[in-house]
Amino acid sequence: MGRIVQFETQDLAGAALAVLAGGGAFAFRELAIVPRATVGICAAAGAPGWCVPRGWVLSGQYYGAFGWAALAAGLAAFFWGSRAVAGLAIGLGIAAVVNYNGTSGISGAALGLIAWLSLLTGRSGWTRP
């Protein structure tokens, strides 16, 4: 027969982290990076304060920081077996794809999803002591 899915507090935390990281990255990109007007606004003298994090995001995108962060979180979730870290890996993977770091980002998200589903369903060898 099928296994009963058992939700824990960490599942809610993982889902919240996935929504915050992935949705936040998507919203920030749509509002602060995609519009062409932001290029001129941030290049002008006396640029508004939100141009600083915009520059950080663009640098992180260039160096692949989002993808590497997602991969690190995915590996941690896969080997450590934490549902919250798995949710974070999924959220960072979404953020990585949104910021064009998809190769390592989607790998981290996949590892996080495998770990989360394995822990959620009580798959053999995935239960924590």
Side-chain angles (χ1 to χ4, degrees):
M1 215 83 186
R3 297 177 190 214
I4 297 173
V5 176
Q6 296 183 1
F7 292 99
E8 295 181 6
T9 307
Q10 279 196 5
D11 293 314
L12 182 59
L17 287 170
V19 169
L20 287 173
F26 179 77
F28 186 80
R29 181 155 192 85
E30 288 298 313
L31 296 173
I33 295 175
V34 170
R36 286 188 221 171
T38 60
V39 176
I41 292 169
C42 291
W50 56 266
C51 289
V52 174
R54 180 184 185 274
W56 294 339
V57 168
L58 290 172
S59 292
Q61 174 184 322
Y62 179 76
Y63 290 110
F66 296 100
W68 291 114
L71 186 58
L75 286 169
F78 191 80
F79 289 111
W80 185 24
S82 170
R83 297 176 187 203
V85 176
L88 179 63
I90 293 168
L92 289 175
I94 294 168
V97 171
V98 165
N99 286 293
Y100 303 105
N101 296 154
T103 304
S104 53
I106 205 69
S107 299
L111 286 170
L113 184 61
I114 290 168
W116 198 353
L117 291 176
S118 296
L119 288 165
L120 190 63
T121 59
R123 184 174 169 192
S124 172
W126 283 84
T127 55
R128 295 197 70 183

